Coordinates of all heavy atoms in Angstrom, one line a residue:
A152 N 43.6 40.1 -44.4 CA 43.9 40.1 -43.0 C 44.9 39.1 -42.6 O 45.8 39.3 -41.8 CB 42.6 39.9 -42.2
E153 N 44.8 37.9 -43.2 CA 45.8 36.9 -43.0 C 47.2 37.3 -43.5 O 48.2 37.1 -42.8 CB 45.3 35.6 -43.6 CG 46.3 34.4 -43.4 CD 45.8 33.1 -44.0 OE1 44.7 33.1 -44.6 OE2 46.5 32.1 -43.8
A154 N 47.2 37.9 -44.6 CA 48.5 38.3 -45.2 C 49.1 39.4 -44.4 O 50.4 39.4 -44.2 CB 48.3 38.8 -46.6
F155 N 48.3 40.3 -43.8 CA 48.8 41.4 -43.0 C 49.0 41.0 -41.5 O 49.6 41.8 -40.7 CB 47.9 42.6 -43.1 CG 48.0 43.4 -44.3 CD1 47.0 43.4 -45.3 CD2 49.1 44.3 -44.5 CE1 47.1 44.2 -46.4 CE2 49.2 45.0 -45.7 CZ 48.2 45.0 -46.6
Q156 N 48.5 39.8 -41.2 CA 48.5 39.3 -39.8 C 47.8 40.3 -38.9 O 48.3 40.6 -37.8 CB 49.9 39.0 -39.4 CG 50.6 38.0 -40.2 CD 52.0 37.6 -39.7 OE1 52.7 38.4 -39.0 NE2 52.5 36.4 -40.0
V157 N 46.6 40.7 -39.3 CA 45.7 41.5 -38.4 C 44.3 40.9 -38.4 O 44.0 39.9 -39.1 CB 45.6 42.9 -39.0 CG1 47.0 43.6 -39.0 CG2 45.0 42.9 -40.4
R158 N 43.5 41.4 -37.5 CA 42.1 40.8 -37.3 C 41.1 42.0 -37.3 O 41.5 43.1 -37.1 CB 42.0 40.0 -36.1 CG 42.2 40.8 -34.8 CD 42.3 39.9 -33.5 NE 42.4 40.7 -32.3 CZ 43.5 41.3 -31.9 NH1 44.6 41.1 -32.5 NH2 43.5 42.0 -30.7
N159 N 39.9 41.6 -37.5 CA 38.8 42.6 -37.5 C 38.7 43.3 -36.2 O 38.7 42.6 -35.1 CB 37.5 41.9 -37.8 CG 36.3 42.9 -38.0 OD1 36.3 43.7 -38.8 ND2 35.3 42.7 -37.1
G160 N 38.6 44.6 -36.2 CA 38.5 45.4 -34.9 C 39.8 45.8 -34.4 O 39.9 46.6 -33.4
E161 N 40.9 45.3 -34.9 CA 42.3 45.7 -34.5 C 42.6 47.1 -35.0 O 42.0 47.6 -36.0 CB 43.3 44.7 -35.0 CG 44.7 44.9 -34.5 CD 45.7 43.9 -35.0 OE1 45.2 42.8 -35.5 OE2 46.9 44.1 -34.9
Y162 N 43.5 47.8 -34.3 CA 44.0 49.1 -34.7 C 45.4 49.0 -35.1 O 46.2 48.4 -34.4 CB 43.7 50.1 -33.6 CG 42.3 50.4 -33.3 CD1 41.6 49.7 -32.4 CD2 41.6 51.4 -34.1 CE1 40.3 50.0 -32.1 CE2 40.3 51.7 -33.8 CZ 39.6 51.0 -32.9 OH 38.3 51.3 -32.6
V163 N 45.8 49.7 -36.2 CA 47.1 49.7 -36.7 C 47.5 51.2 -37.0 O 46.8 52.1 -36.8 CB 47.3 48.9 -38.0 CG1 46.9 47.4 -37.7 CG2 46.4 49.4 -39.1
Q164 N 48.7 51.3 -37.5 CA 49.2 52.6 -37.9 C 49.5 52.6 -39.4 O 49.8 51.5 -40.0 CB 50.5 53.0 -37.2 CG 50.4 53.2 -35.7 CD 51.8 53.2 -35.0 OE1 52.7 52.4 -35.4 NE2 51.9 54.0 -34.0
I165 N 49.3 53.7 -40.1 CA 49.6 53.8 -41.5 C 50.5 55.0 -41.7 O 50.2 56.1 -41.4 CB 48.3 54.0 -42.4 CG1 47.4 52.8 -42.3 CG2 48.6 54.4 -43.8 CD1 47.9 51.6 -43.1
K166 N 51.6 54.7 -42.4 CA 52.6 55.8 -42.7 C 52.5 56.1 -44.1 O 52.6 55.2 -45.0 CB 54.0 55.3 -42.3 CG 55.1 56.3 -42.5 CD 56.4 55.8 -42.0 CE 57.5 56.8 -42.0 NZ 58.8 56.3 -41.6
V167 N 52.3 57.4 -44.4 CA 52.2 57.9 -45.8 C 53.4 58.8 -46.1 O 53.6 59.8 -45.5 CB 50.9 58.6 -46.0 CG1 50.7 59.0 -47.5 CG2 49.7 57.8 -45.6
E168 N 54.1 58.4 -47.2 CA 55.3 59.2 -47.6 C 54.8 60.2 -48.7 O 55.0 59.9 -49.9 CB 56.4 58.3 -48.1 CG 57.0 57.4 -47.1 CD 57.8 58.2 -46.0 OE1 58.0 59.4 -46.2 OE2 58.2 57.6 -45.0
S169 N 54.2 61.3 -48.4 CA 53.8 62.3 -49.3 C 54.7 63.5 -49.2 O 55.8 63.4 -48.5 CB 52.4 62.8 -49.0 OG 52.3 63.3 -47.7
D170 N 54.4 64.6 -49.9 CA 55.2 65.8 -49.7 C 55.2 66.3 -48.3 O 56.1 67.1 -47.8 CB 54.7 66.9 -50.6 CG 55.1 66.6 -52.1 OD1 56.0 65.8 -52.3 OD2 54.4 67.2 -53.0
R171 N 54.2 65.9 -47.5 CA 54.1 66.2 -46.1 C 53.8 64.9 -45.4 O 52.7 64.5 -45.1 CB 52.9 67.2 -45.8 CG 52.9 67.7 -44.3 CD 51.7 68.5 -44.1 NE 51.8 69.9 -44.7 CZ 50.8 70.7 -44.9 NH1 49.6 70.4 -44.6 NH2 51.1 71.9 -45.4
P172 N 54.9 64.1 -45.1 CA 54.7 62.8 -44.6 C 53.9 62.8 -43.3 O 54.0 63.7 -42.5 CB 56.2 62.3 -44.3 CG 57.0 63.1 -45.2 CD 56.3 64.5 -45.3
V173 N 53.1 61.8 -43.1 CA 52.2 61.7 -42.0 C 52.0 60.3 -41.5 O 52.1 59.4 -42.4 CB 50.8 62.4 -42.3 CG1 50.1 61.6 -43.4 CG2 49.9 62.4 -41.1
I174 N 51.8 60.1 -40.3 CA 51.5 58.8 -39.7 C 50.1 58.8 -39.1 O 49.9 59.7 -38.2 CB 52.5 58.3 -38.7 CG1 53.9 58.1 -39.3 CG2 52.1 57.0 -38.0 CD1 55.0 57.9 -38.3
F175 N 49.2 58.0 -39.5 CA 47.9 57.8 -38.9 C 47.9 56.8 -37.8 O 48.3 55.6 -38.1 CB 46.9 57.5 -40.0 CG 46.6 58.5 -41.0 CD1 47.2 58.5 -42.2 CD2 45.8 59.6 -40.7 CE1 47.0 59.5 -43.2 CE2 45.6 60.6 -41.7 CZ 46.2 60.5 -42.9
N176 N 47.6 57.1 -36.6 CA 47.5 56.2 -35.5 C 46.1 55.7 -35.3 O 45.1 56.4 -35.7 CB 48.0 56.8 -34.2 CG 49.5 57.1 -34.3 OD1 50.3 56.2 -34.6 ND2 49.9 58.3 -34.0
H177 N 45.9 54.6 -34.7 CA 44.6 54.1 -34.3 C 43.6 54.0 -35.5 O 42.5 54.4 -35.5 CB 43.9 55.1 -33.3 CG 43.0 54.4 -32.3 ND1 43.4 53.4 -31.4 CD2 41.7 54.6 -32.1 CE1 42.3 53.0 -30.7 NE2 41.3 53.7 -31.1
V178 N 44.2 53.3 -36.6 CA 43.4 53.1 -37.8 C 42.7 51.7 -37.6 O 43.3 50.7 -37.4 CB 44.3 53.1 -39.0 CG1 43.5 52.8 -40.3 CG2 45.0 54.4 -39.2
L179 N 41.4 51.7 -37.8 CA 40.6 50.5 -37.6 C 40.6 49.6 -38.7 O 40.5 50.0 -39.9 CB 39.1 50.9 -37.3 CG 38.1 49.8 -37.1 CD1 38.4 49.1 -35.8 CD2 36.7 50.4 -37.1
I180 N 40.8 48.3 -38.4 CA 40.7 47.2 -39.4 C 39.3 46.7 -39.5 O 38.7 46.3 -38.5 CB 41.7 46.1 -39.1 CG1 43.1 46.5 -39.0 CG2 41.5 44.9 -40.1 CD1 43.7 46.9 -40.4
R181 N 38.7 46.6 -40.7 CA 37.4 46.1 -40.9 C 37.5 45.0 -42.0 O 38.0 45.2 -43.1 CB 36.4 47.2 -41.4 CG 36.3 48.3 -40.4 CD 35.3 49.4 -40.9 NE 34.0 48.9 -41.0 CZ 32.9 49.6 -41.4 NH1 33.1 50.8 -41.7 NH2 31.7 49.1 -41.4
V182 N 37.1 43.8 -41.6 CA 37.3 42.6 -42.4 C 36.0 42.0 -42.9 O 35.0 41.8 -42.1 CB 38.1 41.5 -41.7 CG1 38.3 40.3 -42.5 CG2 39.4 42.1 -41.2
S183 N 35.8 41.7 -44.2 CA 34.6 41.1 -44.7 C 35.0 40.5 -46.1 O 35.8 41.1 -46.8 CB 33.5 42.1 -44.8 OG 32.4 41.5 -45.6
E184 N 34.3 39.4 -46.4 CA 34.5 38.9 -47.8 C 34.0 39.9 -48.8 O 34.4 39.8 -50.0 CB 33.7 37.6 -47.9 CG 34.2 36.4 -47.1 CD 35.4 35.8 -47.8 OE1 35.9 36.3 -48.8 OE2 36.0 34.8 -47.2
K185 N 33.1 40.8 -48.5 CA 32.6 41.8 -49.4 C 33.5 42.9 -49.7 O 33.3 43.7 -50.6 CB 31.2 42.3 -48.9 CG 30.2 41.2 -48.8 CD 28.8 41.8 -48.3 CE 27.8 40.8 -48.2 NZ 26.5 41.4 -47.8
Y186 N 34.6 43.1 -48.9 CA 35.4 44.2 -49.0 C 36.5 44.1 -50.0 O 36.9 43.0 -50.4 CB 36.0 44.6 -47.6 CG 35.1 45.1 -46.6 CD1 35.4 45.0 -45.2 CD2 33.9 45.7 -46.9 CE1 34.5 45.5 -44.2 CE2 33.0 46.1 -46.0 CZ 33.3 46.0 -44.6 OH 32.5 46.5 -43.7
R187 N 37.0 45.2 -50.4 CA 38.2 45.3 -51.2 C 39.3 46.1 -50.5 O 38.9 47.1 -49.8 CB 37.9 46.0 -52.6 CG 39.1 46.3 -53.4 CD 38.7 47.1 -54.6 NE 39.8 47.6 -55.4 CZ 39.8 48.5 -56.3 NH1 38.6 49.1 -56.6 NH2 40.9 48.9 -56.9
L188 N 40.5 45.7 -50.5 CA 41.6 46.3 -49.8 C 41.7 47.8 -50.1 O 42.0 48.2 -51.2 CB 42.9 45.7 -50.0 CG 44.1 46.2 -49.2 CD1 43.9 46.0 -47.7 CD2 45.4 45.6 -49.7
E189 N 41.4 48.7 -49.0 CA 41.5 50.1 -49.2 C 41.3 50.8 -47.9 O 40.5 50.4 -47.1 CB 40.3 50.5 -50.2 CG 40.4 51.9 -50.7 CD 39.4 52.2 -51.7 OE1 38.2 52.1 -51.4 OE2 39.8 52.4 -52.9
M190 N 42.1 51.8 -47.7 CA 42.0 52.7 -46.5 C 41.2 53.9 -46.8 O 41.3 54.5 -47.9 CB 43.4 53.1 -46.0 CG 43.3 54.1 -44.8 SD 44.9 54.6 -44.3 CE 44.5 55.7 -42.9
H191 N 40.3 54.3 -45.9 CA 39.4 55.4 -46.1 C 39.8 56.5 -45.1 O 39.8 56.3 -43.9 CB 37.9 55.1 -46.0 CG 37.4 54.2 -47.2 ND1 36.1 53.8 -47.2 CD2 38.0 53.8 -48.3 CE1 36.0 53.1 -48.4 NE2 37.1 53.1 -49.0
I192 N 40.1 57.7 -45.6 CA 40.3 58.9 -44.8 C 39.4 60.0 -45.3 O 38.9 59.9 -46.4 CB 41.8 59.3 -44.8 CG1 42.2 59.8 -46.3 CG2 42.7 58.3 -44.3 CD1 43.6 60.3 -46.4
D193 N 39.1 61.0 -44.4 CA 38.3 62.1 -44.9 C 39.1 63.2 -45.5 O 40.3 63.2 -45.5 CB 37.3 62.6 -43.8 CG 38.1 63.3 -42.6 OD1 39.2 63.8 -42.8 OD2 37.4 63.4 -41.5
T194 N 38.4 64.3 -45.9 CA 39.1 65.3 -46.7 C 40.1 66.1 -45.8 O 41.1 66.6 -46.2 CB 38.1 66.3 -47.4 OG1 37.1 66.7 -46.4 CG2 37.4 65.5 -48.5
D195 N 39.7 66.3 -44.5 CA 40.6 67.0 -43.6 C 41.9 66.2 -43.4 O 43.0 66.8 -43.4 CB 39.9 67.2 -42.2 CG 39.0 68.3 -42.2 OD1 38.8 69.1 -43.2 OD2 38.3 68.5 -41.1
E196 N 41.8 64.9 -43.3 CA 43.0 64.1 -43.1 C 43.9 64.1 -44.4 O 45.1 64.2 -44.3 CB 42.6 62.7 -42.7 CG 42.0 62.6 -41.4 CD 41.3 61.2 -41.2 OE1 40.6 60.7 -42.0 OE2 41.6 60.6 -40.1
A197 N 43.2 64.1 -45.5 CA 43.9 64.1 -46.8 C 44.6 65.4 -47.0 O 45.8 65.5 -47.4 CB 43.0 63.9 -47.9
N198 N 43.9 66.5 -46.7 CA 44.5 67.8 -46.8 C 45.7 68.0 -45.9 O 46.7 68.7 -46.3 CB 43.5 68.9 -46.6 CG 42.4 69.0 -47.7 OD1 42.7 68.5 -48.8 ND2 41.3 69.5 -47.4
A199 N 45.6 67.5 -44.7 CA 46.7 67.7 -43.7 C 48.0 67.0 -44.2 O 49.1 67.5 -43.9 CB 46.3 67.1 -42.4
G200 N 47.8 65.9 -44.9 CA 49.0 65.1 -45.3 C 49.3 65.3 -46.8 O 50.1 64.6 -47.3
L201 N 48.6 66.2 -47.4 CA 48.8 66.4 -48.9 C 48.6 65.1 -49.6 O 49.4 64.8 -50.5 CB 50.1 67.1 -49.2 CG 50.4 68.5 -48.6 CD1 51.8 69.0 -49.0 CD2 49.3 69.5 -49.0
I202 N 47.5 64.4 -49.3 CA 47.3 63.1 -49.9 C 46.1 63.2 -50.9 O 45.1 63.8 -50.6 CB 46.9 62.1 -48.8 CG1 48.0 62.0 -47.8 CG2 46.5 60.7 -49.4 CD1 47.6 61.2 -46.5
S203 N 46.3 62.6 -52.0 CA 45.3 62.5 -53.0 C 44.9 61.1 -53.2 O 45.6 60.1 -52.8 CB 45.7 63.1 -54.4 OG 46.9 62.4 -54.8
G204 N 43.7 60.8 -53.8 CA 43.2 59.5 -54.0 C 44.2 58.7 -54.9 O 44.8 59.3 -55.8
G205 N 44.4 57.5 -54.6 CA 45.3 56.6 -55.4 C 46.7 56.5 -54.7 O 47.5 55.7 -55.2
Q206 N 47.0 57.3 -53.7 CA 48.2 57.1 -53.0 C 48.2 55.9 -52.1 O 47.1 55.3 -51.9 CB 48.6 58.4 -52.1 CG 49.0 59.6 -53.0 CD 49.6 60.7 -52.2 OE1 49.0 61.8 -52.1 NE2 50.7 60.5 -51.5
Q207 N 49.3 55.6 -51.6 CA 49.4 54.4 -50.8 C 50.1 54.7 -49.4 O 50.8 55.7 -49.2 CB 50.3 53.3 -51.5 CG 49.7 52.9 -52.8 CD 50.6 51.9 -53.6 OE1 51.9 52.0 -53.5 NE2 50.1 51.0 -54.3
G208 N 49.8 53.8 -48.4 CA 50.4 53.9 -47.1 C 51.0 52.6 -46.7 O 50.6 51.5 -47.2

Side-chain angles (χ1 to χ4, degrees):
E153 182 177 0
F155 282 109
Q156 297 185 336
V157 295
R158 64 186 184 279
N159 186 60
E161 183 176 349
Y162 291 92
V163 298
Q164 297 165 322
I165 293 290
K166 185 175 184 179
V167 184
E168 296 290 355
S169 63
D170 289 338
R171 185 185 288 166
V173 63
I174 295 173
F175 293 101
N176 293 308
H177 210 63
V178 180
L179 177 66
I180 298 293
R181 300 180 65 181
V182 180
S183 170
E184 289 285 3
K185 297 180 179 180
Y186 290 158
R187 172 187 172 193
L188 182 63
E189 193 171 64
M190 178 182 179
H191 288 179
I192 61 176
D193 70 18
T194 51
D195 279 357
E196 293 169 313
N198 291 338
L201 300 181
I202 299 167
S203 58
Q206 285 190 248
Q207 299 174 328

